[in-house]
Amino acid sequence: MPTVKDVARRAGVSPATVSNVINRKGNVSPALVESVTRAIEELGYRPNVLARGLRVSRTYTVGLVISDMLNPYFSEIAAGVERVCSGRGYTVLFCTTGDDKYAEAKHVQVLRDRQVDGIIVASTGAGNEVIEKLVADGYPVVLINRRLDGVEADSVVSDNVGGALQVMDYLVSLGHRRIAFVAGARDSLPSRERLDGYLRGLAKAGIMVDNDIIRYGYLKYSGGYEAAKYLLALPDRPTAIFAANDMMAIGVMDAVLEAGLTIPQDISLVGFDDTMLSSLKRINLTTVRQSYLELGEIATKMLLDKLSKRPGRRSLKRQVVPCSLVVRGSCAHVTAKTNVPGVGSAAPAGR
Amino acid sequence: MPTVKDVARRAGVSPATVSNVINRKGNVSPALVESVTRAIEELGYRPNVLARGLRVSRTYTVGLVISDMLNPYFSEIAAGVERVCSGRGYTVLFCTTGDDKYAEAKHVQVLRDRQVDGIIVASTGAGNEVIEKLVADGYPVVLINRRLDGVEADSVVSDNVGGALQVMDYLVSLGHRRIAFVAGARDSLPSRERLDGYLRGLAKAGIMVDNDIIRYGYLKYSGGYEAAKYLLALPDRPTAIFAANDMMAIGVMDAVLEAGLTIPQDISLVGFDDTMLSSLKRINLTTVRQSYLELGEIATKMLLDKLSKRPGRRSLKRQVVPCSLVVRGSCAHVTAKTNVPGVGSAAPAGR
DNA sequence: TTGAAAGCGCTAACAG
DNA sequence: CTGTTAGCGCTTTCAA
């Protein structure tokens, strides 16, 4: 591999001049620019980014910490991060934590050791000390869907509360008053926020909270399935079920069908996330759309903007990205309960 | 940030000794190991991986080139790559090409500029020259699901032909003889190979090829939907449809239902990939499982093994990973066509 | 405008 | 066993 020296020799100039040509600095005469450029091409010279990084202590690399690449939410975030980075000459170094506190700490350290210019954390791992230390050390960090009170870390979160409120308004507008909520794990922030939106929606409509129709479970198909089994067996079963995410909603869906009931005639159902699943004709689930791609993009822009500014300005940025209700065919007006069952994919009464 | 020098000063030794302690080399006396270790901890010293990389020309970084992070196949591959890398002290630098030839060339160059130790290419972008150059330059490369004849690049591919053959054997064993194939784009290697397996399966069963029931389309829902519309309108319509991937199969499924036909009673259907979709009760698709996670893991092991060996050994490795048929409820014995339609989720006749 | 020289932080040779 | 020295490839003073 040729180096600046080789190029310099071939062009009959000094390494410094070669460097100046490459970085368009220090006013080099057109003649030399020309010959250096030719030498670079002839030799197929490529700058060693490592050496440059060592010298200028800037690597144009962004570290990305996510929980799990197999989860579509995170891979969408990763896609957003990569898209913005690649457009601005940055590269992404990524690692996954499996939501393990120690893995998170370890990987953040690895990223620092590799001198990444900044770190984006989209992991729900509970290791707040890691983040606090990062910020305390003056490291540029942006948090996705994770917020630490009292810590000066920029963050971008989706408006889970607002999205859930939209769902509630919609269900209430369809005449539902007995609405169940199927939540994920109690320590999942998004799930908690969606639950919060649910509760606010109830309050807004003047509906009393019934803790018996708020179920907690694993944020997966099985969690929804089990919760629905319970809810459907209730003497006074709900007319609508709001699940904390799409996978759970699909679990609910199957349980409802197994009980011999129909969606949306007997039970209205809403999910959250607008996964690709929800749009399938056989699922056709009303849900809330949140673009995780966008979340990743926004976070990355925040970080890169920060990197290009003087380190002085320490303004704390907290961006909330809105969600939007996507109405499909899984909800009906509450009076539609009297409809003939069995049609399955009837158009929704709403809209 | 403290450096080796700072540590050396504090421990009262030379930088070289510090380095030796860190890298467990050159037999340092226990006493000095002890004091150096303490100095490191007291200072919170962390080696600068950039500087080390510059010196030893080894970065413990793997470059990963994929088509698109939003596609579950690729994010699964990425997960596999990351898993193995992180387990062996490597980090992953990743970029996406969108299957664009020039983007691929550019990104591969970026990875080289960053001195990654090796590159894994899981992109279907048609830029073979890029790969050829990489290999010609002696760069360690492993290709996933992409094979270049005449190029000395290691590769790991899934056994698409074998998987498709299993599907055909299964359908034939159910008595089907009029089996349609819904292919993806003509230049998609996996799709071509699956088609190849289909053709071989026909030959094996002594069934004549009917080009009218081999349809090409976009490897997505719509592609399957359109193809099925055509196939179902045929005077002598097929009794079974084999789609090149799950998304297409779901498109086929919807078209079949819209035509007032039932799966599997009227039409048997098989997909490929075993996406999470296929296992949903409402889909319940018989398909072929290929673990892309495993593909990523195998490729990474190949690469890392290569990196730890002497550069002399230039054995070309080409690994084929088997697929397996996953029987669910979308196929029935051909005589079952006479069954009463409308049951929808009857158990498959096979097995 | 251009070049010489120093140094980013680290490790490999070699000398002691 | 330990320290001195040199240099990986680059950029950046500073002097010419």
Side-chain angles (χ1 to χ4, degrees):
Chain A
M1 289 273 94
T3 75
V4 264
K5 277 189 188 167
D6 300 318
V7 175
R9 194 163 21 236
R10 178 151 193 139
V13 299
S14 77
T17 302
V18 174
S19 173
N20 282 333
V21 170
I22 293 171
N23 303 300
R24 314 188 197 309
K25 274 188 189 169
N27 273 8
V28 184
S29 69
L32 287 192
V33 170
E34 161 65 18
S35 65
V36 167
T37 309
R38 196 178 26 244
I40 287 178
E41 281 183 7
E42 287 168 353
L43 260 42
Y45 168 78
R46 300 253 82 212
N48 181 328
V49 179
L50 239 55
R52 176 185 292 163
L54 178 60
R55 184 61 235 243
V56 304
S57 43
R58 203 92 195 296
T59 58
Y60 294 92
T61 309
V62 163
L64 173 65
V65 181
I66 58 181
S67 293
D68 176 14
M69 203 44 136
L70 294 176
N71 185 321
Y73 315 144
F74 293 111
S75 55
E76 243 190 75
I77 289 175
V81 172
E82 201 273 338
R83 185 179 293 182
V84 173
C85 279
S86 136
R88 300 220 211 162
Y90 279 75
T91 314
V92 183
L93 213 42
F94 89 97
C95 49
T96 61
T97 65
D99 278 346
D100 176 62
K101 197 174 162 174
Y102 302 100
E104 179 173 294
K106 191 192 118 198
H107 283 124
V108 165
Q109 191 54 264
V110 168
L111 293 176
R112 295 186 64 168
D113 291 351
R114 287 175 179 264
Q115 317 290 120
V116 299
D117 293 338
I119 297 182
I120 296 175
V121 181
S123 147
T124 45
N128 285 351
E129 315 82 39
V130 184
I131 313 286
E132 282 172 29
K133 186 166 186 306
L134 216 45
V135 176
D137 291 357
Y139 224 92
V141 187
V142 176
L143 268 28
I144 294 183
N145 264 338
R146 179 168 171 173
R147 197 167 258 182
L148 276 59
D149 291 319
V151 175
E152 286 258 326
D154 291 358
S155 58
V156 36
V157 298
S158 56
D159 185 15
N160 289 304
V161 177
L165 253 170
Q166 287 180 61
V167 170
M168 294 306 287
D169 287 349
Y170 174 63
L171 288 174
V172 167
S173 80
L174 292 178
H176 293 279
R177 296 192 62 82
R178 188 145 176 83
I179 304 169
F181 187 78
V182 179
R186 283 170 207 268
D187 63 347
S188 154
L189 180 65
S191 170
R192 275 210 318 267
E193 291 180 342
R194 289 163 197 183
L195 174 58
D196 192 29
Y198 163 81
L199 294 172
R200 287 208 219 170
L202 288 182
K204 189 171 160 190
I207 302 171
M208 279 258 291
V209 177
D210 177 357
N211 279 314
D212 210 32
I213 57 173
I214 299 178
R215 309 296 303 169
Y216 291 87
Y218 194 44
L219 268 168
K220 296 225 58 162
Y221 177 91
S222 57
Y225 184 83
E226 299 301 336
K229 281 280 180 209
Y230 176 92
L231 292 169
L232 296 174
L234 248 32
D236 183 15
R237 70 166 141 85
T239 63
I241 300 179
F242 178 12
N245 77 8
D246 286 352
M247 276 310 294
M248 292 186 106
I250 290 169
V252 170
M253 194 174 265
D254 281 349
V256 169
L257 297 186
E258 277 182 21
L261 299 170
T262 319
I263 290 172
Q265 285 80 358
D266 300 305
I267 301 265
S268 287
L269 177 63
V270 184
F272 212 109
D273 284 336
D274 194 26
T275 315
M276 179 225 294
L277 301 169
S278 330
S279 63
L280 295 176
K281 280 195 186 145
R282 296 205 145 195
I283 306 282
N284 202 27
L285 179 71
T286 291
T287 184
V288 178
R289 168 120 189 95
Q290 173 54 69
S291 166
Y292 288 90
L293 186 82
E294 202 186 339
L295 240 49
E297 289 181 342
I298 293 175
T300 311
K301 282 179 192 153
M302 256 188 191
L303 183 67
L304 299 191
D305 287 348
K306 197 178 196 171
L307 293 180
S308 57
K309 270 182 199 142
R310 301 242 136 277
R313 297 272 304 130
R314 265 194 161 248
S315 67
L316 183 60
K317 277 190 196 134
R318 296 191 158 190
Q319 188 153 345
V320 177
V321 183
C323 301
S324 59
L325 184 69
V326 179
V327 175
R328 294 208 180 86
S330 62
C331 296
H333 200 279
V334 73
T335 58
K337 260 180 80 176
T338 52
N339 277 2
V340 185
V343 184
S345 60
R351 278 241 176 153
Chain B
M1 287 274 93
T3 73
V4 265
K5 277 190 188 167
D6 300 318
V7 175
R9 195 163 20 238
R10 177 149 194 142
V13 298
S14 79
T17 302
V18 174
S19 173
N20 282 334
V21 170
I22 293 170
N23 303 300
R24 313 190 197 309
K25 274 188 189 172
N27 274 6
V28 184
S29 72
L32 287 192
V33 171
E34 161 65 19
S35 63
V36 167
T37 309
R38 193 172 36 238
I40 287 177
E41 280 183 7
E42 286 168 356
L43 260 43
Y45 167 78
R46 298 255 85 210
N48 181 328
V49 178
L50 240 55
R52 176 185 292 163
L54 179 60
R55 184 62 236 239
V56 303
S57 44
R58 204 93 197 297
T59 59
Y60 294 92
T61 309
V62 164
L64 173 64
V65 181
I66 58 181
S67 294
D68 175 14
M69 204 43 139
L70 295 175
N71 185 321
Y73 315 144
F74 293 111
S75 57
E76 242 191 76
I77 289 175
V81 172
E82 201 273 339
R83 186 179 292 184
V84 173
C85 278
S86 135
R88 300 220 213 162
Y90 279 76
T91 313
V92 182
L93 214 42
F94 88 98
C95 49
T96 61
T97 64
D99 278 345
D100 176 61
K101 196 174 160 171
Y102 301 100
E104 179 174 295
K106 191 192 118 200
H107 283 123
V108 164
Q109 192 54 264
V110 168
L111 293 176
R112 295 186 62 167
D113 290 351
R114 286 174 180 265
Q115 315 291 120
V116 300
D117 294 338
I119 296 183
I120 295 175
V121 181
S123 148
T124 46
N128 285 350
E129 316 80 41
V130 184
I131 314 285
E132 281 172 28
K133 185 166 184 308
L134 215 45
V135 176
D137 291 357
Y139 224 91
V141 186
V142 176
L143 267 30
I144 294 183
N145 264 339
R146 180 167 171 173
R147 197 167 257 183
L148 275 59
D149 291 320
V151 174
E152 286 259 327
D154 291 357
S155 59
V156 36
V157 298
S158 55
D159 185 14
N160 289 302
V161 177
L165 253 169
Q166 286 180 61
V167 170
M168 294 306 286
D169 287 348
Y170 175 62
L171 289 173
V172 168
S173 80
L174 292 177
H176 294 278
R177 296 193 61 83
R178 188 145 175 80
I179 305 168
F181 187 78
V182 180
R186 282 170 208 267
D187 64 347
S188 154
L189 180 64
S191 171
R192 275 210 318 267
E193 292 180 341
R194 289 163 196 182
L195 174 58
D196 191 29
Y198 163 80
L199 294 172
R200 286 209 219 172
L202 288 182
K204 188 170 159 190
I207 302 170
M208 280 257 292
V209 177
D210 177 357
N211 279 314
D212 210 33
I213 56 173
I214 300 179
R215 309 295 304 168
Y216 290 86
Y218 194 45
L219 269 168
K220 294 225 59 158
Y221 176 92
S222 57
Y225 185 82
E226 299 302 336
K229 282 281 181 211
Y230 176 91
L231 291 169
L232 297 174
L234 249 32
D236 183 15
R237 72 165 138 86
T239 63
I241 299 179
F242 177 12
N245 77 8
D246 286 351
M247 276 311 293
M248 292 187 106
I250 291 169
V252 170
M253 195 174 262
D254 281 350
V256 170
L257 297 185
E258 277 181 23
L261 298 171
T262 320
I263 290 173
Q265 286 79 357
D266 300 306
I267 301 266
S268 287
L269 177 63
V270 184
F272 212 110
D273 284 337
D274 194 27
T275 317
M276 181 225 292
L277 301 169
S278 330
S279 64
L280 295 176
K281 281 196 185 143
R282 294 204 145 194
I283 306 284
N284 202 28
L285 179 70
T286 291
T287 184
V288 177
R289 169 121 190 93
Q290 174 53 68
S291 166
Y292 289 89
L293 185 81
E294 202 186 340
L295 240 49
E297 290 182 340
I298 292 175
T300 311
K301 282 180 193 156
M302 254 187 192
L303 183 66
L304 300 192
D305 286 349
K306 198 177 193 170
L307 292 180
S308 57
K309 271 182 199 142
R310 299 242 137 278
R313 298 271 306 129
R314 263 194 163 250
S315 67
L316 183 61
K317 278 192 195 133
R318 297 193 156 188
Q319 190 153 342
V320 177
V321 183
C323 300
S324 59
L325 184 70
V326 179
V327 176
R328 295 207 179 86
S330 62
C331 295
H333 200 279
V334 74
T335 58
K337 262 180 77 175
T338 53
N339 279 0
V340 184
V343 184
S345 60
R351 277 247 174 142

